[in-house]
Amino acid sequence: MPDYDPQTIETKWQKSWEEEKSFKVEADPAKPKYYLLEMFPYPSGRIHMGHVRNYTIGDALARFKWMQGFNVLHPIGWDSFGMPAENAAIQNKSHPNTWTLANIKTMTEQIKRLGLSYDWDREIATCEPKYYRWNQWCFLKFLERGLVYRKNSEVNWCESCNTVLANEQVIDGLCWRCDNEVITKLQEGWFFKITDYADRLLEGCKDLEAGWPEQVLTMQTNWIGKSYGAEVDFQIKDSNEAIKVFTTRPDTLYGATFMVLAPEHPLTLSLSRGTEQASAIDAFIKEVKSQDKIARTSEGGEKLGVFTGAYAVNPLNGETIPVWTANFVLMDYGTGAIMSVPAHDHRDFEFAKKYDLPIRIVILPPDGNTNADDLREAMTDPGPMTQSGEFDGLAGDEAKQKVCEHLQSKNIGKATVQFRLRDWGVSRQRYWGTPVPIIFCEQCGTVPVPYEDLPVKLPLDAQLGDKGQSPLKSLDSFINVPCPKCKAPAKRETDTLDTFICSSWYFDRFTSPDEENAPFSKDANRYWMAVDQYIGGIEHAILHLLYSRFFHHVFRDMGLVETREPFAHLLTQGMVIKDGAKMSKSKGNVVDPDHIIGRYGADTARLFILFAAPPTKQLEWSDQGVEGSFRFLKRVWRLFDETATILREAPGDLDTGGDLPKELKELRRHIHTAIKRVTEDIDKRMQFNTAIAAIMEFVNHLYAFREWWTSQKESSADGQALFKESVETLILLLSPFAPHIAEEMWEQMGHSQPTHHTPWPEYNEEFLKADEIEIVIQVNGKVRQKLSVPAGIDEDSLKAQSLEDPRIREWTDGKEIKKVIVVPRKLVNIVVK
RNA sequence: GCGAGGGUGGCGGAAUUGGUAGACGCCCAGGACUUAAAAUCCUGUGGGAGUAAUCCCGUGCGGGUUCGAUUCCCGCCCCUCGCACCA
């Protein structure tokens, strides 16, 4: 009678799965497909509990889908370009490639010890030329489509990482990777025109409502930030020039009492020339430029401004209004200039009060008071226009529309939209990434590397500078190339591409990882995409998930993919925490997955992680909880092991002809209840914790049944058969969560087909019904009695029986019975007074 | 400030359509087995009163709807996350 020995069992089955290539799949139009994907890991060194949780959730689902008969694509790969490799290499005086490959090796071993159902034949690593050549291909194709451009601009710069960051990679003014403060810097670089797709990315969110968490969609929607409004031209006094502004409140145009330009706005400087404000403007521009961009753009920052010396004309009321410049107006949103309506905008109000500028109420307040002197704060609510000439009385969208029509008819403005989204800066001044496939030629200018010359290989013999400066800039063998057009000596671009490009289409590559003539095969893509279920951390809610959607939309325009969106369903798993905090080395609360697997086995680790919390919630690590899961698996093993003989001799089928004794009927009901609960918890609710709870309850019932059964003098063949059915069901229900122990028991039961190729058990509604059910009897909504009655009892008898019950009589005697509510199969509520 | 999600025993969490609040597990206590321990099994376990039967209270707080509310509505408090001078 061997004890449960996870190490032996797990080694045995992992070896078997690997040798048999148990989870290898091919596209097969005859079978329904299911593409399950976890966000592929960065090979940082060793796996942590967050990885374990991510992959365990995915694996449970994948195995379940296999058993449901789907052709399951469940791949894994490595997001293996990026800065940590460089930093580690500098520290260890090694090479990023060496470091990365060693980490992949270590982490592969660790992942394999978890018993995950991956198709390892599809493994990819983005740092391999056969992968990143297609990043370059995408770059060139996007360039052809006008979606890539180069510009000199103020960019986010991380001093510690020595590189540019995209807007999405700046979190609270800090670098997303190293938490260092981000500064702005003028830098030339490549941009992806993601703004061209702003509207479609926004609309796509609607397609995703059924499958994505609302939170993520809200974040994406806010990030794209579409605003409806109007562009309006304000004529500059005594000049032919106009200042173009964007406003979301054209209905407040009559209240525009001054204007504000961004300090960087070209008119700020030019308007002030020749006025007595010239020197003040010069000083102000200088001051704002030295001001930290983050501080400047954060709410509550002090609003500072200076009069430019110039005036403009309000196009609707003809009033002359002063033009100011101020730090809170940004050059890169809208037109870089605003009309200020202090009565109806918080910022304008604050600014007007500070610099004593006029305020005029043009939206009627609820109390009807239009005296601006009484205004304590800006009134930003919508309302009827007032003091606005012919528009008085119009309100809301109608008012805005009418004003826009008027502007348009006079050719001084029009309805328009603005987006908060900025183009995606993809140039990185670092080494360990995809080289940008561009050559600079003095004669021909910027020349794309011809497709047939791809990949532009990243030279692996380069030595990193000790501050992370890219060695490419000084590597003559890399830089010096003939111009593809004129063959004259030219120079390669030395920037590399943002690693987020690698992860923006890897899921497409998984459909045909060995494709040599394209980033992926269209046929394979058509069969496998979209990803049916994507699983990963919420930290990618904007970054990776937005970029991937952008790529997918472009691919669709290129005719490479057919689905509208790449990820049909998204699950954002919660964090793993311990002692109330995220696991981290600095806090010393890290639990090493290897340690847990070594001590209890992968099945215990998996079971605990799935049982401790629903997948989307954060999970508090508990060593005692792990003990509990281990104890449960031992309990399952014992149940199986101690009855192995009985199970082996059991007849295959139940002799259903005879009426079963009560205990057997009960057992059968427990089997089918367990199947129903586990199936629905996985499939409909994705709530593994309750699925496992249902299995635990089932096991408790099996123990109770076994005790009753072994106490019987004679054991019936039906009992034996049903017990066998119970244990086999248990094994199958358990197998997505704890696959090794399940597989071992399954084999010992005499099955040659592995569990993941065995159909998922089905329940029979008929067997879910009990003969006797418990009905709760309430008096005035309080539970006073519980009755066991036949399941088929009719309402009237139930009602009568309830009213006659002695204990209920104690509450109802001498009182007037106002009403009796009967909820079939559940309760009776007697209302008395 | 705006948006989203939360608040249930000592702890993690259940309650799926308005119908027995606390499933399942952890912790803890008691018992069985054992020379003993470990392992295992059994019992108990929201709070209060009571020998007990049983009763009262109880899902952040205050109200409401309802025969009945963790669930729906109104107001408030607190926590987490995201956005945040975006005109």
Side-chain angles (χ1 to χ4, degrees):
Chain A
M1 200 184 291
D3 283 342
Y4 171 45
D5 175 6
Q7 304 308 337
T8 308
I9 293 173
E10 293 182 3
T11 310
K12 168 180 166 186
W13 287 104
Q14 283 162 19
K15 194 164 163 250
S16 156
W17 294 330
E18 181 152 11
E19 283 170 1
E20 307 272 320
K21 291 191 188 286
S22 295
F23 305 101
K24 187 174 167 64
V25 277
E26 294 300 337
D28 179 355
K31 285 192 216 159
K33 67 95 185 179
Y34 193 86
Y35 186 176
L36 188 131
L37 185 65
E38 298 115 36
M39 288 180 185
F40 70 159
Y42 178 80
S44 54
R46 303 180 62 77
I47 64 167
H48 53 68
M49 279 302 172
H51 290 123
V52 179
R53 190 176 194 196
N54 192 189
Y55 308 147
T56 301
I57 292 167
D59 197 55
L61 256 179
R63 288 174 180 270
F64 173 73
K65 289 292 170 186
W66 271 112
M67 294 171 78
Q68 280 194 324
F70 287 93
N71 198 25
V72 180
L73 174 55
H74 188 207
I76 178 96
W78 307 95
D79 187 9
S80 49
F81 267 143
M83 218 104 61
E86 289 187 54
N87 297 339
I90 294 163
Q91 222 167 17
N92 309 332
K93 303 220 182 305
S94 154
H95 191 277
N97 193 45
T98 317
W99 184 83
T100 302
L101 296 182
N103 287 349
I104 290 177
K105 187 162 178 283
T106 309
M107 291 173 76
T108 301
E109 280 164 18
Q110 288 187 295
I111 285 176
K112 286 192 171 168
R113 290 185 69 194
L114 282 167
L116 304 168
S117 59
Y118 290 127
D119 179 355
W120 284 97
D121 284 358
R122 290 176 188 258
E123 183 179 1
I124 57 179
T126 59
C127 64
E128 291 174 353
K130 70 175 189 179
Y131 184 86
Y132 69 69
R133 71 173 292 185
W134 300 109
N135 287 339
Q136 294 168 340
W137 183 92
C138 288
F139 181 93
L140 296 175
K141 285 287 175 191
F142 284 25
L143 184 68
E144 276 177 26
R145 301 181 73 83
L147 292 172
V148 177
Y149 64 95
R150 186 174 169 82
K151 74 170 175 187
N152 199 17
S153 66
E154 294 275 343
V155 293
N156 309 302
W157 182 268
C158 175
E159 283 286 344
S160 133
C161 297
N162 246 310
T163 189
V164 167
L165 299 172
N167 290 333
E168 290 82 359
Q169 293 160 1
V170 181
I171 316 290
D172 289 333
L174 306 177
C175 172
W176 72 291
R177 181 151 264 158
C178 70
D179 279 348
N180 220 66
E181 200 158 302
V182 173
I183 61 168
T184 53
K185 183 172 169 177
L186 203 64
Q187 175 87 34
E188 189 149 9
W190 295 97
F191 285 81
F192 275 16
K193 239 178 172 178
I194 190 170
T195 52
D196 270 12
Y197 282 75
D199 252 324
R200 287 171 58 188
L201 290 169
L202 201 60
E203 266 165 41
C205 288
K206 284 181 204 136
D207 292 343
L208 299 171
E209 273 166 20
W212 281 38
E214 192 184 334
Q215 190 194 2
V216 176
L217 290 175
T218 307
M219 283 165 72
Q220 293 219 347
T221 306
N222 291 344
W223 187 262
I224 295 167
K226 185 175 187 176
S227 305
Y228 296 86
E231 260 176 27
V232 190
D233 293 333
F234 281 63
Q235 200 65 39
I236 295 164
K237 200 162 172 67
D238 307 324
S239 157
N240 292 327
E241 276 193 280
I243 300 170
K244 197 182 275 300
V245 303
F246 173 73
T247 177
T248 53
R249 294 294 304 272
D251 55 329
T252 64
L253 233 166
Y254 279 81
T257 50
F258 60 99
M259 304 191 73
V260 187
L261 304 175
E264 301 88 346
H265 198 292
L267 285 173
T268 304
L269 200 66
S270 62
L271 286 179
S272 66
R273 296 308 91 176
T275 75
E276 55 196 18
Q277 289 297 101
S279 60
I281 289 290
D282 289 344
F284 183 72
I285 293 175
K286 203 174 161 196
E287 184 192 334
V288 172
K289 276 201 173 154
S290 71
Q291 197 185 5
D292 180 62
K293 191 186 175 191
I294 310 307
R296 182 182 154 194
T297 55
S298 71
E299 190 178 340
E302 197 187 0
K303 291 178 182 48
L304 299 170
V306 173
F307 177 46
T308 60
Y311 293 87
V313 179
N314 184 317
L316 289 196
N317 59 18
E319 205 169 62
T320 298
I321 57 175
V323 180
W324 285 61
T325 181
N327 60 350
F328 71 95
V329 176
L330 311 172
M331 192 58 216
D332 60 357
Y333 182 78
T335 60
I338 61 166
M339 64 172 203
S340 278
V341 185
H344 306 292
D345 181 281
H346 290 300
R347 294 153 300 176
D348 297 346
F349 185 82
E350 190 188 327
F351 195 75
K353 282 289 179 195
K354 180 165 179 179
Y355 292 103
D356 200 22
L357 290 157
I359 300 172
R360 181 180 314 127
I361 292 175
V362 293
I363 297 292
L364 197 65
D367 64 7
N369 183 358
T370 56
N371 184 352
D373 295 340
D374 297 338
L375 210 56
R376 287 290 158 88
E377 57 176 2
M379 213 256 326
T380 55
D381 294 338
M385 291 172 71
T386 187
Q387 304 195 57
S388 300
E390 62 188 280
F391 298 100
D392 278 4
L394 292 171
D397 289 341
E398 192 197 357
K400 291 178 186 175
Q401 197 191 327
K402 284 270 155 52
V403 173
C404 286
E405 282 168 13
H406 178 76
L407 293 170
Q408 187 128 29
S409 71
K410 299 187 79 178
N411 209 20
I412 48 169
K414 60 176 184 194
T416 179
V417 292
Q418 276 293 331
F419 291 95
R420 217 189 70 110
L421 185 69
R422 297 283 174 280
D423 279 337
W424 172 15
V426 296
S427 280
R428 294 294 176 272
Q429 292 66 38
R430 296 289 302 221
Y431 164 68
W432 191 235
T434 305
V436 175
I438 289 289
I439 291 164
F440 298 113
C441 169
E442 282 191 14
Q443 303 303 314
C444 312
T446 302
V447 183
V449 173
Y451 288 102
E452 59 271 22
D453 290 353
L454 297 184
V456 176
K457 279 197 184 171
L458 184 69
L460 294 180
D461 54 355
Q463 271 307 312
L464 286 162
D466 55 5
K467 280 183 188 144
Q469 311 93 317
S470 171
L472 296 179
K473 295 189 195 320
S474 49
L475 199 66
D476 290 344
S477 57
F478 177 76
I479 300 175
N480 296 320
V481 282
C483 167
K485 275 191 188 161
C486 69
K487 307 299 171 200
K491 297 207 182 291
R492 275 195 200 284
E493 166 69 279
T494 54
D495 281 354
T496 52
L497 292 172
D498 184 2
T499 56
F500 276 93
I501 288 173
C502 299
S503 54
S504 291
W505 64 281
Y506 76 104
F507 40 89
D508 290 309
R509 183 72 183 170
F510 275 140
T511 64
S512 44
D514 299 317
E515 173 65 49
E516 285 177 359
N517 302 311
F520 48 87
S521 136
K522 271 168 80 171
D523 287 341
N525 199 273
R526 188 181 308 119
Y527 176 74
W528 289 114
M529 285 295 277
V531 174
D532 292 278
Q533 181 68 58
Y534 199 27
I535 306 171
I538 186 81
E539 66 274 17
H540 291 292
I542 293 174
L543 287 159
H544 160 59
L545 290 170
L546 189 66
Y547 295 148
S548 298
R549 293 185 56 223
F550 165 58
F551 260 65
H552 195 82
H553 277 90
V554 178
F555 283 170
R556 189 153 186 259
D557 285 351
M558 291 166 68
L560 295 178
V561 302
E562 291 186 2
T563 56
R564 289 156 70 93
E565 288 285 338
F567 313 118
H569 295 267
L570 172 70
L571 185 145
T572 50
Q573 105 230 17
M575 270 192 314
V576 181
I577 61 166
K578 186 158 189 277
D579 310 321
K582 187 177 177 178
M583 285 187 185
S584 73
K585 275 182 200 153
S586 59
K587 292 205 182 72
N589 61 350
V590 175
V591 179
D592 182 9
D594 271 359
H595 178 74
I596 300 297
I597 294 168
R599 183 156 175 192
Y600 301 101
D603 282 339
T604 294
R606 294 169 56 125
L607 197 73
F608 166 72
I609 277 197
L610 295 171
F611 179 60
T616 54
K617 280 201 173 183
Q618 71 175 18
L619 183 152
E620 169 77 38
W621 186 266
S622 155
D623 291 332
Q624 282 148 344
V626 178
E627 286 279 355
S629 294
F630 186 51
R631 210 148 43 217
F632 171 71
L633 289 181
K634 283 194 284 186
R635 192 168 151 82
V636 170
W637 180 261
R638 254 193 331 272
L639 179 75
F640 162 79
D641 192 59
E642 288 168 10
T643 47
T645 320
I646 304 168
L647 293 170
R648 223 168 284 133
E649 291 166 356
D653 285 306
L654 200 58
D655 175 16
T656 44
D659 204 16
L660 291 176
K662 189 179 85 195
E663 286 80 4
L664 293 192
K665 269 191 170 172
E666 279 283 281
L667 178 62
R668 190 172 62 187
R669 188 164 62 83
H670 289 314
I671 296 173
H672 289 262
T673 308
I675 298 173
K676 183 181 161 91
R677 285 176 61 189
V678 176
T679 308
E680 292 183 352
D681 280 347
I682 301 177
D683 218 11
K684 291 190 184 159
R685 310 203 302 153
M686 253 208 259
Q687 204 155 297
F688 305 108
N689 54 333
T690 46
I692 293 167
I695 297 175
M696 287 173 168
E697 280 182 72
F698 185 39
V699 170
N700 292 343
H701 287 307
L702 288 184
Y703 265 84
F705 175 81
R706 192 182 65 166
E707 195 170 331
W708 167 82
W709 194 42
T710 49
S711 72
Q712 299 300 104
K713 287 202 181 77
E714 283 179 47
S715 66
S716 69
D718 273 353
Q720 211 172 350
L722 201 61
F723 189 69
K724 181 177 180 180
E725 188 186 325
S726 305
V727 173
E728 294 201 330
T729 304
L730 168 65
I731 293 170
L732 293 177
L733 294 182
L734 189 62
S735 65
F737 311 114
H740 308 87
I741 187 176
E743 206 61 67
E744 179 64 25
M745 292 187 295
W746 193 244
E747 188 191 52
Q748 289 197 26
M749 293 284 285
H751 296 281
S752 51
Q753 185 90 307
T755 55
H756 54 268
H757 285 138
T758 303
W760 184 254
E762 286 184 21
Y763 61 90
N764 182 336
E765 287 286 347
E766 220 26 60
F767 297 151
L768 292 172
K769 294 176 187 158
D771 289 342
E772 293 243 305
I773 52 171
E774 193 181 64
I775 299 284
V776 168
I777 318 296
Q778 300 181 331
V779 178
N780 287 345
K782 281 186 192 265
V783 180
R784 297 301 180 189
Q785 178 64 301
K786 288 171 186 177
L787 292 181
S788 192
V789 299
I793 193 168
D794 64 279
E795 258 188 51
D796 288 340
S797 333
L798 179 59
K799 201 162 158 180
Q801 203 179 328
S802 307
L803 289 167
E804 280 160 21
D805 185 82
R807 204 184 285 164
I808 294 301
R809 293 280 296 272
E810 283 178 34
W811 292 93
T812 56
D813 274 357
K815 288 179 178 150
E816 185 196 346
I817 293 174
K818 309 267 292 184
K819 207 196 261 189
V820 180
I821 289 133
V822 181
V823 181
R825 304 183 65 86
K826 285 221 168 91
L827 62 71
V828 176
N829 188 12
I830 301 161
V831 187
V832 299
K833 201 178 180 185

